[in-house]
PDB file of all heavy atoms in Angstrom:
ATOM      1  N   SER A1577      -6.072 -21.557  11.838  1.00  0.00           N
ATOM      2  CA  SER A1577      -7.525 -21.353  11.761  1.00  0.00           C
ATOM      3  C   SER A1577      -8.168 -22.233  10.694  1.00  0.00           C
ATOM      4  O   SER A1577      -9.365 -22.502  10.758  1.00  0.00           O
ATOM      5  CB  SER A1577      -7.847 -19.885  11.467  1.00  0.00           C
ATOM      6  OG  SER A1577      -7.568 -19.582  10.104  1.00  0.00           O
ATOM      7  N   GLY A1578      -7.353 -22.637   9.708  1.00  0.00           N
ATOM      8  CA  GLY A1578      -7.897 -23.432   8.609  1.00  0.00           C
ATOM      9  C   GLY A1578      -8.658 -22.598   7.593  1.00  0.00           C
ATOM     10  O   GLY A1578      -9.179 -23.122   6.610  1.00  0.00           O
ATOM     11  N   LYS A1579      -8.701 -21.286   7.806  1.00  0.00           N
ATOM     12  CA  LYS A1579      -9.399 -20.398   6.866  1.00  0.00           C
ATOM     13  C   LYS A1579      -8.474 -20.087   5.690  1.00  0.00           C
ATOM     14  O   LYS A1579      -7.254 -20.143   5.809  1.00  0.00           O
ATOM     15  CB  LYS A1579      -9.837 -19.114   7.556  1.00  0.00           C
ATOM     16  CG  LYS A1579     -10.933 -19.342   8.586  1.00  0.00           C
ATOM     17  CD  LYS A1579     -11.503 -18.028   9.054  1.00  0.00           C
ATOM     18  CE  LYS A1579     -12.672 -18.307   9.994  1.00  0.00           C
ATOM     19  NZ  LYS A1579     -13.394 -17.089  10.305  1.00  0.00           N
ATOM     20  N   PRO A1580      -9.074 -19.751   4.559  1.00  0.00           N
ATOM     21  CA  PRO A1580      -8.258 -19.445   3.373  1.00  0.00           C
ATOM     22  C   PRO A1580      -7.295 -18.279   3.620  1.00  0.00           C
ATOM     23  O   PRO A1580      -7.609 -17.341   4.353  1.00  0.00           O
ATOM     24  CB  PRO A1580      -9.290 -19.063   2.308  1.00  0.00           C
ATOM     25  CG  PRO A1580     -10.588 -19.599   2.793  1.00  0.00           C
ATOM     26  CD  PRO A1580     -10.505 -19.647   4.294  1.00  0.00           C
ATOM     27  N   PHE A1581      -6.151 -18.389   3.003  1.00  0.00           N
ATOM     28  CA  PHE A1581      -5.133 -17.334   3.049  1.00  0.00           C
ATOM     29  C   PHE A1581      -4.562 -17.209   1.649  1.00  0.00           C
ATOM     30  O   PHE A1581      -4.103 -18.190   1.068  1.00  0.00           O
ATOM     31  CB  PHE A1581      -4.013 -17.707   4.031  1.00  0.00           C
ATOM     32  CG  PHE A1581      -2.904 -16.688   4.106  1.00  0.00           C
ATOM     33  CD1 PHE A1581      -3.009 -15.587   4.930  1.00  0.00           C
ATOM     34  CD2 PHE A1581      -1.747 -16.829   3.343  1.00  0.00           C
ATOM     35  CE1 PHE A1581      -1.989 -14.649   5.014  1.00  0.00           C
ATOM     36  CE2 PHE A1581      -0.723 -15.901   3.414  1.00  0.00           C
ATOM     37  CZ  PHE A1581      -0.850 -14.804   4.252  1.00  0.00           C
ATOM     38  N   GLU A1582      -4.630 -16.005   1.117  1.00  0.00           N
ATOM     39  CA  GLU A1582      -4.081 -15.751  -0.210  1.00  0.00           C
ATOM     40  C   GLU A1582      -3.305 -14.440  -0.160  1.00  0.00           C
ATOM     41  O   GLU A1582      -3.839 -13.420   0.256  1.00  0.00           O
ATOM     42  CB  GLU A1582      -5.208 -15.645  -1.240  1.00  0.00           C
ATOM     43  CG  GLU A1582      -4.727 -15.433  -2.647  1.00  0.00           C
ATOM     44  CD  GLU A1582      -5.886 -15.226  -3.626  1.00  0.00           C
ATOM     45  OE1 GLU A1582      -6.992 -15.715  -3.358  1.00  0.00           O
ATOM     46  OE2 GLU A1582      -5.649 -14.559  -4.644  1.00  0.00           O
ATOM     47  N   ALA A1583      -2.053 -14.488  -0.540  1.00  0.00           N
ATOM     48  CA  ALA A1583      -1.208 -13.295  -0.522  1.00  0.00           C
ATOM     49  C   ALA A1583      -0.451 -13.210  -1.839  1.00  0.00           C
ATOM     50  O   ALA A1583       0.102 -14.204  -2.298  1.00  0.00           O
ATOM     51  CB  ALA A1583      -0.238 -13.360   0.641  1.00  0.00           C
ATOM     52  N   LYS A1584      -0.470 -12.034  -2.433  1.00  0.00           N
ATOM     53  CA  LYS A1584       0.261 -11.885  -3.690  1.00  0.00           C
ATOM     54  C   LYS A1584       0.907 -10.510  -3.786  1.00  0.00           C
ATOM     55  O   LYS A1584       0.430  -9.532  -3.214  1.00  0.00           O
ATOM     56  CB  LYS A1584      -0.634 -12.149  -4.887  1.00  0.00           C
ATOM     57  CG  LYS A1584      -1.742 -11.154  -5.095  1.00  0.00           C
ATOM     58  CD  LYS A1584      -2.557 -11.511  -6.329  1.00  0.00           C
ATOM     59  CE  LYS A1584      -3.733 -10.556  -6.470  1.00  0.00           C
ATOM     60  NZ  LYS A1584      -4.534 -10.831  -7.640  1.00  0.00           N
ATOM     61  N   ILE A1585       1.989 -10.493  -4.524  1.00  0.00           N
ATOM     62  CA  ILE A1585       2.702  -9.252  -4.826  1.00  0.00           C
ATOM     63  C   ILE A1585       2.107  -8.705  -6.116  1.00  0.00           C
ATOM     64  O   ILE A1585       2.082  -9.395  -7.134  1.00  0.00           O
ATOM     65  CB  ILE A1585       4.210  -9.510  -5.000  1.00  0.00           C
ATOM     66  CG1 ILE A1585       4.813 -10.073  -3.712  1.00  0.00           C
ATOM     67  CG2 ILE A1585       4.925  -8.225  -5.435  1.00  0.00           C
ATOM     68  CD1 ILE A1585       6.237 -10.593  -3.855  1.00  0.00           C
ATOM     69  N   ILE A1586       1.645  -7.479  -6.070  1.00  0.00           N
ATOM     70  CA  ILE A1586       1.096  -6.832  -7.268  1.00  0.00           C
ATOM     71  C   ILE A1586       2.204  -6.124  -8.035  1.00  0.00           C
ATOM     72  O   ILE A1586       2.290  -6.227  -9.248  1.00  0.00           O
ATOM     73  CB  ILE A1586      -0.040  -5.864  -6.885  1.00  0.00           C
ATOM     74  CG1 ILE A1586      -1.188  -6.654  -6.243  1.00  0.00           C
ATOM     75  CG2 ILE A1586      -0.510  -5.070  -8.099  1.00  0.00           C
ATOM     76  CD1 ILE A1586      -2.252  -5.802  -5.591  1.00  0.00           C
ATOM     77  N   SER A1587       3.055  -5.408  -7.296  1.00  0.00           N
ATOM     78  CA  SER A1587       4.157  -4.699  -7.966  1.00  0.00           C
ATOM     79  C   SER A1587       5.273  -4.404  -6.974  1.00  0.00           C
ATOM     80  O   SER A1587       5.047  -4.331  -5.764  1.00  0.00           O
ATOM     81  CB  SER A1587       3.663  -3.391  -8.595  1.00  0.00           C
ATOM     82  OG  SER A1587       3.218  -2.492  -7.585  1.00  0.00           O
ATOM     83  N   ILE A1588       6.471  -4.226  -7.521  1.00  0.00           N
ATOM     84  CA  ILE A1588       7.646  -3.797  -6.759  1.00  0.00           C
ATOM     85  C   ILE A1588       8.365  -2.756  -7.608  1.00  0.00           C
ATOM     86  O   ILE A1588       8.622  -2.985  -8.784  1.00  0.00           O
ATOM     87  CB  ILE A1588       8.614  -4.972  -6.464  1.00  0.00           C
ATOM     88  CG1 ILE A1588       7.941  -6.035  -5.596  1.00  0.00           C
ATOM     89  CG2 ILE A1588       9.890  -4.455  -5.785  1.00  0.00           C
ATOM     90  CD1 ILE A1588       8.795  -7.281  -5.378  1.00  0.00           C
ATOM     91  N   ASP A1589       8.684  -1.632  -7.001  1.00  0.00           N
ATOM     92  CA  ASP A1589       9.458  -0.581  -7.670  1.00  0.00           C
ATOM     93  C   ASP A1589      10.680  -0.270  -6.824  1.00  0.00           C
ATOM     94  O   ASP A1589      10.558  -0.049  -5.614  1.00  0.00           O
ATOM     95  CB  ASP A1589       8.616   0.690  -7.845  1.00  0.00           C
ATOM     96  CG  ASP A1589       7.481   0.497  -8.810  1.00  0.00           C
ATOM     97  OD1 ASP A1589       7.737   0.029  -9.931  1.00  0.00           O
ATOM     98  OD2 ASP A1589       6.327   0.810  -8.453  1.00  0.00           O
ATOM     99  N   VAL A1590      11.844  -0.250  -7.464  1.00  0.00           N
ATOM    100  CA  VAL A1590      13.102  -0.023  -6.760  1.00  0.00           C
ATOM    101  C   VAL A1590      13.836   1.153  -7.392  1.00  0.00           C
ATOM    102  O   VAL A1590      13.979   1.219  -8.611  1.00  0.00           O
ATOM    103  CB  VAL A1590      14.032  -1.266  -6.844  1.00  0.00           C
ATOM    104  CG1 VAL A1590      15.323  -1.027  -6.077  1.00  0.00           C
ATOM    105  CG2 VAL A1590      13.326  -2.511  -6.351  1.00  0.00           C
ATOM    106  N   ILE A1591      14.295   2.063  -6.556  1.00  0.00           N
ATOM    107  CA  ILE A1591      15.187   3.141  -6.988  1.00  0.00           C
ATOM    108  C   ILE A1591      16.278   3.257  -5.931  1.00  0.00           C
ATOM    109  O   ILE A1591      15.995   3.564  -4.776  1.00  0.00           O
ATOM    110  CB  ILE A1591      14.459   4.495  -7.139  1.00  0.00           C
ATOM    111  CG1 ILE A1591      13.296   4.394  -8.114  1.00  0.00           C
ATOM    112  CG2 ILE A1591      15.443   5.579  -7.594  1.00  0.00           C
ATOM    113  CD1 ILE A1591      12.444   5.644  -8.199  1.00  0.00           C
ATOM    114  N   ASN A1592      17.496   2.957  -6.345  1.00  0.00           N
ATOM    115  CA  ASN A1592      18.646   3.010  -5.430  1.00  0.00           C
ATOM    116  C   ASN A1592      18.382   2.179  -4.184  1.00  0.00           C
ATOM    117  O   ASN A1592      18.154   0.999  -4.273  1.00  0.00           O
ATOM    118  CB  ASN A1592      19.023   4.456  -5.114  1.00  0.00           C
ATOM    119  CG  ASN A1592      19.466   5.216  -6.348  1.00  0.00           C
ATOM    120  OD1 ASN A1592      20.072   4.654  -7.255  1.00  0.00           O
ATOM    121  ND2 ASN A1592      19.162   6.500  -6.396  1.00  0.00           N
ATOM    122  N   SER A1593      18.367   2.817  -2.994  1.00  0.00           N
ATOM    123  CA  SER A1593      18.229   2.073  -1.745  1.00  0.00           C
ATOM    124  C   SER A1593      16.814   2.103  -1.168  1.00  0.00           C
ATOM    125  O   SER A1593      16.601   1.749  -0.012  1.00  0.00           O
ATOM    126  CB  SER A1593      19.204   2.620  -0.698  1.00  0.00           C
ATOM    127  OG  SER A1593      18.831   3.943  -0.352  1.00  0.00           O
TER     128      SER A1593
END
Side-chain angles (χ1 to χ4, degrees):
S1577 74
K1579 292 190 175 189
F1581 178 85
E1582 182 184 334
K1584 66 179 176 179
I1585 299 170
I1586 297 169
S1587 65
I1588 297 175
D1589 293 308
V1590 181
I1591 303 174
N1592 297 326
S1593 66

